[in-house]
Amino acid sequence: MTLETLVQLARSRTPADRSRIQLATAALGLGGALLLGALRIARLGKGELGADVYSNYVAESGLRSGLVAILIILALLTAGLAVQALRLGTAARERRLVALRLAGASRKQVRQLSVTDAALAGLAGGLLAGPIYLVLSLLLGVLPRMAQVLPGAELLDLLIWVPVVVMTTAGGALIGGLLHRDQLLPGVERPEQVRTGIIVGPVMLVLGVATVRWFGYVASTVFVVGLALFFLSLAPLWIKTIARRFQRSGDPANLLTGIRLVADARPASRMATLLASCGFLVGTLADGTISAATEPEDLIDRTGFYVTGYVLASVGVLLIVLTGIAALVVGVADQLVDQRRQIACLTALGVDARFLRRVIRRQLTTVAAPALAGGLFLGALLGLGRITGGDADSFAPSKLLTAAGLMAAGWLLGLLAGVAAGFFLRNQLRDALDPENLRAA
């Protein structure tokens, strides 16, 4: 196939497919902007800079290298969100690829279409990276000096932008190639993986907490990885448990919600794990912010330093949370496309768009609200000091009050996500209920 033919065939054809590409493009664009910021800071050199001009995080040589590393890690995390977005793979796209195979396209040509599809998202994300970095640097520029962690853009950044575009395009193509399946059949989750995670996760948690005083951040990393593994293994169990309870309910909305949760258990479990892990990080950072803000007055300068770092880190993690919720919404849109014939059958039972919107809200809030609330509560309860080897009283009244407040905030954010999803998917809900979907293809 020629490049023009590949681009034409790889273009998104449905609203759900376009939403998937837009989400991947936004994630790759943000990752490219963070990479531009890391390269901009790295060009400042290794020497000390004036603290009256730059933020302390940029002025001090040791902190500057750490800031570059953090920006690169955040760029990789956002690229991981792009992987999740492209992994959703709308049902319409899967059927289109199968149709191309039946029309005579070879496996190599179908793979080229998958790679081109993801590469176009990477190219668009790379082109967006420059404007996103410019906007971020301008927004941070109006904040106090300590928070200005991204230096202003230079003309040289235009030249650096070109290889970043190449990197995001190549990254998108690599993601598309890795995610492509020659046999478009759903994977089967093995029970052994769930049992292994439930056993190994708590072991890593206990090991990390017990050894953090001697091994520092290595033990903290073991703790966080064990927590993520435990969340990943536990999420399918509690989602299916809640789904079965819904299926035994006499409420028709709960019954339909339970059926949809069972059908969407695997991607919902992955996103619940992401939201719970991010909630845990935000909870620990909130605990560190409160601890730093209550330092004695003679340490006010260092307090501002720590509070700024914790707040900026919390904002970065919250951006990942919002992107993860957006991925959940795209997954529900994919489910609506895949099950449009079954949903259209519900019109004979009097189901309207308002009822189906209530089902969608419950489906999303059942996944997002407990995951965010549980992660925030656990992170604030343990505290940043405990997981980094410091002293922390997890059962102090003030800490319990903070943990309860963050848990309520996480639950509220999950509920708001469900309401927003019902609003953004209103057109897809109406299309799914259209009796025209019952016509034979």
Side-chain angles (χ1 to χ4, degrees):
M1 292 187 185
T2 64
L3 180 60
E4 182 180 1
T5 303
L6 284 173
V7 171
Q8 287 294 329
L9 292 177
R11 284 172 50 196
S12 303
R13 305 290 179 179
T14 63
D17 202 18
R18 284 193 291 270
S19 298
R20 178 183 69 93
I21 294 298
Q22 289 167 1
L23 182 60
T25 299
L28 290 171
L30 181 58
L34 294 173
L35 185 59
L36 276 173
L39 294 173
R40 173 71 177 89
I41 296 172
R43 292 205 313 271
L44 295 175
K46 298 182 179 180
E48 300 292 331
L49 302 175
D52 55 338
V53 178
Y54 295 98
S55 168
N56 289 46
Y57 295 99
V58 178
E60 299 182 24
S61 178
L63 294 177
R64 187 160 63 248
S65 59
L67 181 59
V68 171
I70 290 173
L71 289 175
I72 293 176
I73 292 173
L74 287 176
L76 293 176
L77 287 175
T78 53
L81 291 174
V83 173
Q84 178 63 29
L86 292 172
R87 192 173 182 175
L88 290 172
T90 63
R93 175 176 173 271
E94 298 290 342
R95 284 193 292 270
R96 191 170 83 244
L97 294 179
V98 171
L100 288 172
R101 287 282 292 129
L102 294 176
S106 64
R107 289 186 177 182
K108 180 180 179 181
Q109 290 172 330
V110 173
R111 176 178 289 273
Q112 288 175 344
L113 286 175
S114 297
V115 171
T116 303
D117 181 35
L120 290 175
L123 175 61
L127 294 176
L128 284 176
I132 291 175
Y133 171 70
L134 183 61
V135 171
L136 287 177
S137 61
L138 291 177
L139 290 177
L140 292 176
V142 301
L143 297 178
R145 180 186 54 80
M146 187 69 73
Q148 298 175 13
V149 294
L150 288 180
E154 296 179 337
L155 289 177
L156 185 58
D157 290 322
L158 291 175
L159 298 178
I160 303 297
W161 187 11
V162 176
V164 170
V165 172
V166 174
M167 292 177 64
T168 57
T169 305
L174 179 62
I175 293 171
L178 293 176
L179 295 182
H180 176 74
R181 294 173 297 167
D182 290 327
Q183 300 294 333
L184 300 176
L185 297 175
V188 178
E189 185 175 358
R190 294 177 297 177
E192 295 80 5
Q193 294 176 342
V194 175
R195 290 197 295 266
T196 301
I198 290 179
I199 295 173
V200 175
V203 170
M204 296 180 69
L205 290 175
V206 174
L207 184 63
V209 172
T211 61
V212 68
R213 291 183 179 273
W214 297 279
F215 296 100
Y217 291 110
V218 175
S220 299
T221 303
V222 172
F223 177 89
V224 174
V225 172
L227 185 69
L229 183 60
F230 182 67
F231 280 151
L232 182 61
S233 302
L234 192 63
L237 298 180
W238 66 261
I239 288 178
K240 291 179 180 178
T241 300
I242 295 176
R244 294 190 186 99
R245 289 178 62 88
F246 279 161
Q247 288 177 329
R248 292 193 297 266
S249 173
D251 186 352
N254 285 341
L255 177 62
L256 189 55
T257 300
I259 294 173
R260 293 179 60 82
L261 281 173
V262 171
D264 199 38
R266 292 189 66 193
S269 300
R270 291 195 297 266
M271 297 315 300
T273 301
L274 173 65
L275 295 177
S277 300
C278 290
F280 177 82
L281 293 177
V282 173
T284 57
L285 292 169
D287 174 76
T289 303
I290 295 173
S291 300
T294 55
E295 289 290 338
E297 291 296 329
D298 57 343
L299 298 178
I300 189 64
D301 292 337
R302 303 303 294 176
T303 298
F305 173 81
Y306 287 118
V307 168
T308 301
Y310 292 147
V311 169
L312 290 175
S314 299
V315 170
V317 177
L318 283 174
L319 288 176
I320 297 177
V321 169
L322 294 177
T323 309
I325 292 176
L328 267 177
V329 175
V330 174
V332 172
D334 178 36
Q335 199 179 32
L336 289 173
V337 174
D338 191 32
Q339 299 176 357
R340 66 191 187 279
R341 291 177 63 88
Q342 298 92 318
I343 294 174
C345 292
L346 297 176
T347 56
L349 302 176
V351 172
D352 56 5
R354 182 178 180 182
F355 176 85
L356 192 56
R357 186 181 301 179
R358 180 151 49 106
V359 172
I360 295 302
R361 285 201 301 265
R362 291 187 185 181
Q363 180 184 353
L364 286 174
T365 54
T366 300
V367 175
L372 280 173
L376 284 166
F377 180 80
L378 187 59
L381 189 66
L382 290 178
L384 187 63
R386 184 176 297 278
I387 67 172
T388 56
D391 295 328
D393 185 3
S394 297
F395 300 101
S398 59
K399 188 177 288 293
L400 290 175
L401 184 62
T402 301
L406 287 174
M407 182 176 66
W411 197 277
L412 179 61
L413 182 59
L415 295 178
L416 291 176
V419 174
F423 174 77
F424 289 121
L425 296 177
R426 62 190 185 279
N427 294 328
Q428 286 88 340
L429 294 175
R430 186 179 61 251
D431 294 341
L433 288 170
D434 191 345
E436 288 293 326
N437 292 326
L438 297 176
R439 291 181 179 272

